[in-house]
Amino acid sequence: MLLNKPLVFVLLLNFLFLSLKWLLSFYKFDETLLTSILINTKDIQYYPIIVNLSEFNFNPTFLEYYNNSKIINLPLASLAIHSIFYKLLNVYSFIILEYVFHLLLVFVLFNIIKKIFNSSNAAALFTILIYILILSLKAVSNFVEPQIFYKLYNILSENFGTRTPRPLVTGVFYFSFLYYMMFFEEKINNKLDYNYVLKIAIFLGLLANSFLFLFVHSFIFLLIFLFKVLGAKLIKWIKLNYKKLCYFIILLIIFLQPIVFQNLYAEIDYTSRVGLISNGLEKKFFLIKYYLTALLRFEFLTLFSLTLYLNWYVNKNFFLKENIDKLNIFFLLIIASILSPLIFFIISPKIISIFHFLNIILFSFIFYIILSLFYILFFLLKKIDFKNYLSKKIFYLIILIICVSIFAPLELNSFSKNNKQRAELSELHSFFNKNNLKNTNLKLFTNDLLIMNLWLLNNNTQLIISDAHSNSLQDVKIEFNLLNSLKDFKIGEDQLKDLISFEKSQVRNKLFMMLFSYKYQANTLYTFSALENYNKIDQDLIIKTSPFRVQMQIIPETEKERIINLYKNLEINQDLLPNYVVLNISNSLENFNIKNNKYKEIYKTKNFLIYKRL
């Protein structure tokens, strides 16, 4: 994978895209680097994990009071580099690694396409068109009502975007694996070497320790590809290559050990918060039946029919034979994506966030369709001298103008939508700085993820409550920390009932989603409690909800009653009270105020209240 002029142009264009976001941010807003990072980057819920991982802390509690908790499950491979760079460069690392990994992703994608077309110019054009398509879908979805444009944009951006760590890091691992699979048939048919086996095993191991679903999908794809290449010769090939096969299996077992270790020693309550549930025989049959039925839906059949037709068309036409085997690899990816959930449901004793399988299926379809159409177009227009055409300065200029004309307005529109949020966050950061609220062991109570990150990235260490995915505490301790502060705030029982929607139907209570995430998932496959323990409206909703919708969170009434009784009998622990309180009163705490006069309101913005405990 070497640099050439078309690749350099694509990398420079991508660098410009990334830079525009940061340059517009600093030019248009008077904000600090930290607040800009928190607004301009996605999945900031991973930042507390990165901070703790940089200190080799695998069981973060964010409270010195607790010191005997178990570890949390981590996507270790996709966060390790971020944690190392954070240790060295602090918050600058988030910007630097966004550039590094996204440029790497573009580099690998370019070389995959180049391998199919034997043309750097075609690879450059395809890579640019992918990002123009993403930008165009985003632009259209802002003005057109049908959700299909937003869904298509979401599918592509989830695989080519800059969200940390997925797809920013996992995308590099996945597409690197696919790049080396482009040589698979040649290696299998000729001479399989240990170096190649090592590369495949490494990237599978990285995927396993980054995003389990991509690992399952990629491993099944590898097996399907192997069967396709060898067919009846498979047994003979295994006998001839058993040493290399054993080498591969041993490597894979070694790379899977961190996952085994984490599952053995992780906090059980943490695994339930991230959505891990048992997959007994009854659930297996239900999931398989539901999934097979879903494959007969119009949307799936339409996509499958279109890909079958495209696959038939490009393989049938004599003028489309060049490197057709490389294009067919991506058709095998579709087959692997369809089989992956079935095999996973049958084999795995546990399941988690299975909706990710559907996203992989959709991406496999969409990417193959785009790639096939480009393949057809490329060969139909082969009479055009692409080399000369793409080398002309005017062509590069046109591409640049198109990209900037789409991207810049989108970024400006995005800024205009959240410029009040930016202003408030900058204001709060300024308040923290003026009051020396950094590098402290003071305890903060906040219901806002942005403020949690602002606090921790200012090198403060303690949070009374923290994001469900970031801490290793047992649920009873998380509940106590919350209720302990609320009781000290002198919050009445009626207000607590409003807060948890007692005897009311509510989906995805914002505060409980932050604290417990997928613990209270409720759908036709799984509920936290027996169905009769939910109110009638929620019961009707649950029985209509797909088992793939783990994001549906509903707290049963019995659980609400338990929390209220716990609150009534709770004795306040003075060691677990906050020094400062920052409340987002627009986020689950509307009309909320602290009645204990030991807490003095010291600052206020439109959406935030800051209290100091005297």
Side-chain angles (χ1 to χ4, degrees):
M1 293 193 287
L2 301 174
L3 289 173
N4 51 52
K5 286 183 179 180
L7 175 56
V8 170
F9 174 70
V10 170
L11 292 175
L12 287 174
L13 191 63
N14 187 66
F15 184 87
L16 175 64
F17 282 174
L18 294 174
S19 299
L20 273 175
K21 174 178 68 175
W22 297 106
L23 291 172
L24 286 171
S25 177
F26 292 126
Y27 172 75
K28 191 173 175 64
F29 298 97
D30 181 21
E31 59 188 11
T32 63
L33 176 67
L34 179 52
T35 56
S36 183
I37 288 170
L38 291 176
I39 294 292
N40 286 331
T41 56
K42 298 178 180 178
D43 260 16
I44 63 172
Q45 71 184 81
Y46 283 100
Y47 290 176
I49 299 175
I50 290 169
V51 171
N52 279 279
L53 194 56
S54 71
E55 301 292 336
F56 291 99
N57 181 7
F58 294 89
N59 58 340
T61 63
F62 303 102
L63 285 166
E64 293 177 351
Y65 185 84
Y66 300 111
N67 54 19
N68 60 348
S69 61
K70 294 183 178 181
I71 65 171
I72 62 176
N73 297 76
L74 293 169
L76 196 58
S78 57
L79 294 179
I81 295 177
H82 272 82
S83 66
I84 293 169
F85 272 74
Y86 179 79
K87 186 71 175 177
L88 297 172
L89 302 171
N90 208 278
V91 294
Y92 294 97
S93 62
F94 295 119
I95 298 178
I96 293 169
L97 290 180
E98 181 175 280
Y99 278 95
V100 170
F101 278 108
H102 205 254
L103 289 169
L104 275 174
L105 176 58
V106 170
F107 177 77
V108 176
L109 178 62
F110 176 94
N111 280 283
I112 288 173
I113 306 305
K114 181 184 174 183
K115 191 70 179 171
I116 296 173
F117 293 95
N118 286 328
S119 167
S120 294
N121 293 309
L125 184 58
F126 179 85
T127 307
I128 292 167
L129 287 176
I130 280 287
Y131 284 97
I132 290 178
L133 180 60
I134 292 172
L135 293 173
S136 300
L137 287 169
K138 184 179 181 182
V140 171
S141 65
N142 287 334
F143 303 103
V144 178
E145 190 62 31
Q147 288 293 302
I148 186 170
F149 296 103
Y150 178 75
K151 288 179 181 177
L152 288 172
Y153 159 73
N154 205 44
I155 290 166
L156 292 175
S157 64
E158 284 289 307
N159 289 274
F160 297 115
T162 58
R163 191 177 67 180
T164 304
R166 179 175 54 84
L168 184 65
V169 182
T170 55
V172 174
F173 299 157
Y174 179 59
F175 285 101
S176 295
F177 167 77
L178 292 182
Y179 173 77
Y180 285 107
M181 289 302 294
M182 306 290 279
F183 304 89
F184 187 71
E185 187 167 0
E186 176 189 340
K187 294 287 185 180
I188 294 296
N189 285 329
N190 297 313
K191 188 176 180 181
L192 185 65
D193 59 86
Y194 285 99
N195 185 45
Y196 180 77
V197 172
L198 176 63
K199 289 174 182 176
I200 295 297
I202 285 174
F203 284 111
L204 282 174
L206 290 171
L207 285 172
N209 286 279
S210 302
F211 193 44
L212 176 66
F213 307 95
L214 275 181
F215 165 73
V216 173
H217 163 65
S218 299
F219 186 74
I220 292 171
F221 163 68
L222 177 68
L223 296 179
I224 292 172
F225 203 171
L226 186 64
F227 283 121
K228 177 188 176 295
V229 172
L230 294 172
K233 300 176 183 177
L234 179 61
I235 301 300
K236 182 181 178 181
W237 181 87
I238 291 174
K239 288 179 181 179
L240 291 172
N241 294 276
Y242 73 93
K243 288 183 179 179
K244 296 182 183 74
L245 194 58
C246 289
Y247 176 64
F248 173 76
I249 293 170
I250 290 169
L251 284 173
L252 209 54
I253 290 172
I254 292 170
F255 292 137
L256 291 175
Q257 289 312 297
I259 299 174
V260 175
F261 181 85
Q262 289 183 69
N263 285 329
L264 287 174
Y265 296 101
E267 171 54 53
I268 294 175
D269 285 352
Y270 180 85
T271 61
S272 74
R273 292 199 296 271
V274 297
L276 187 69
I277 62 174
S278 296
N279 186 30
L281 194 60
E282 186 178 346
K283 284 189 174 71
K284 288 179 187 291
F285 279 118
F286 176 81
L287 276 172
I288 292 168
K289 180 182 177 182
Y290 188 94
Y291 177 68
L292 291 174
T293 303
L295 294 183
L296 299 175
R297 291 180 180 174
F298 174 78
E299 297 88 342
F300 175 82
L301 291 176
T302 302
L303 281 172
F304 194 62
S305 298
L306 179 57
T307 54
L308 278 176
Y309 174 76
L310 287 170
N311 185 255
W312 168 82
Y313 183 82
V314 296
N315 281 276
K316 176 180 179 292
N317 288 276
F318 68 93
F319 57 88
L320 300 182
K321 292 296 183 183
E322 187 175 338
N323 275 3
I324 190 66
D325 56 318
K326 299 295 188 293
L327 180 63
N328 287 338
I329 289 172
F330 293 88
F331 184 76
L332 288 183
L333 272 178
I334 294 175
I335 305 302
S337 71
I338 295 170
L339 292 177
S340 297
L342 278 175
I343 296 171
F344 185 75
F345 297 155
I346 292 168
I347 294 175
S348 179
K350 303 274 187 179
I351 55 174
I352 181 172
S353 301
I354 54 177
F355 68 92
H356 289 301
F357 279 122
L358 299 184
N359 294 336
I360 291 171
I361 292 172
L362 287 172
F363 174 71
S364 299
F365 274 118
I366 299 302
F367 189 70
Y368 178 78
I369 290 169
I370 295 170
L371 189 56
S372 297
L373 292 174
F374 184 83
Y375 186 88
I376 294 167
L377 183 64
F378 177 80
F379 285 101
L380 287 175
L381 301 177
K382 201 169 183 183
K383 290 182 179 180
I384 298 175
D385 188 345
F386 274 87
K387 182 176 181 180
N388 292 332
Y389 182 59
L390 282 172
S391 65
K392 293 178 181 178
K393 292 181 180 180
I394 188 67
F395 178 78
Y396 291 108
L397 182 60
I398 291 170
I399 289 291
L400 183 62
I401 291 171
I402 291 172
C403 293
V404 172
S405 63
I406 298 174
F407 185 76
L410 281 175
E411 287 300 314
L412 287 170
N413 182 57
S414 176
F415 288 156
S416 65
K417 285 182 178 179
N418 63 18
N419 85 34
K420 291 181 180 178
Q421 183 187 41
R422 286 175 178 274
E424 275 196 290
L425 190 63
S426 296
E427 195 176 338
L428 292 171
H429 192 201
S430 176
F431 175 85
F432 283 3
N433 289 335
K434 287 176 181 177
N435 288 272
N436 294 316
L437 294 178
K438 51 186 177 181
N439 302 305
T440 77
N441 285 323
L442 298 173
K443 294 185 282 290
L444 175 73
F445 179 101
T446 183
N447 63 320
D448 188 273
L449 184 61
L450 276 169
I451 302 303
M452 287 181 189
N453 277 280
L454 188 64
W455 183 258
L456 293 172
L457 294 174
N458 268 295
N459 297 316
N460 300 298
T461 58
Q462 300 202 77
L463 291 167
I464 296 296
I465 56 174
S466 51
D467 182 73
H469 292 263
S470 302
N471 75 77
S472 61
L473 292 173
Q474 295 174 332
D475 289 345
V476 291
K477 293 176 180 176
I478 295 173
E479 288 175 352
F480 183 86
N481 294 342
L482 171 66
L483 299 179
N484 187 62
S485 290
L486 293 180
K487 195 148 193 176
D488 195 58
F489 296 163
K490 296 192 182 299
I491 300 303
E493 188 179 318
D494 288 340
Q495 195 167 2
L496 177 63
K497 287 180 178 179
D498 286 339
L499 192 63
I500 63 175
S501 298
F502 183 68
E503 294 183 339
K504 297 176 184 177
S505 174
Q506 186 184 34
V507 176
R508 294 173 66 87
N509 179 289
K510 290 181 180 178
L511 182 59
F512 273 63
M513 275 297 298
M514 183 183 75
L515 296 178
F516 302 109
S517 195
Y518 294 154
K519 174 182 178 178
Y520 294 110
Q521 61 179 289
N523 51 54
T524 48
L525 177 70
Y526 174 87
T527 53
F528 175 83
S529 185
L531 192 62
E532 58 266 23
N533 293 328
Y534 295 81
N535 66 50
K536 185 64 173 65
I537 296 174
D538 289 337
Q539 287 182 32
D540 293 339
L541 187 59
I542 290 168
I543 61 178
K544 296 176 184 177
T545 301
S546 163
F548 289 91
R549 290 197 62 192
V550 300
Q551 301 97 329
M552 180 74 77
Q553 306 293 305
I554 303 175
I555 308 170
E557 292 302 317
T558 49
E559 188 73 354
K560 295 175 185 177
E561 290 173 5
R562 182 188 64 79
I563 290 169
I564 291 167
N565 289 329
L566 180 64
Y567 188 71
K568 287 179 182 177
N569 301 314
L570 183 141
E571 293 184 10
I572 294 174
N573 183 335
Q574 298 291 327
D575 293 327
L576 288 171
L577 295 176
N579 302 102
Y580 284 87
V581 179
V582 180
L583 298 177
N584 183 339
I585 54 177
S586 69
N587 180 14
S588 76
L589 293 181
E590 296 88 349
N591 304 315
F592 186 94
N593 57 79
I594 295 176
K595 298 173 183 177
N596 186 343
N597 55 20
K598 289 183 180 178
Y599 292 89
K600 180 183 178 182
E601 183 183 318
I602 56 174
Y603 200 75
K604 182 178 182 179
T605 67
K606 181 182 178 181
N607 294 302
F608 290 92
L609 291 175
I610 300 182
Y611 293 87
K612 181 178 181 180
R613 193 166 185 270
L614 305 175

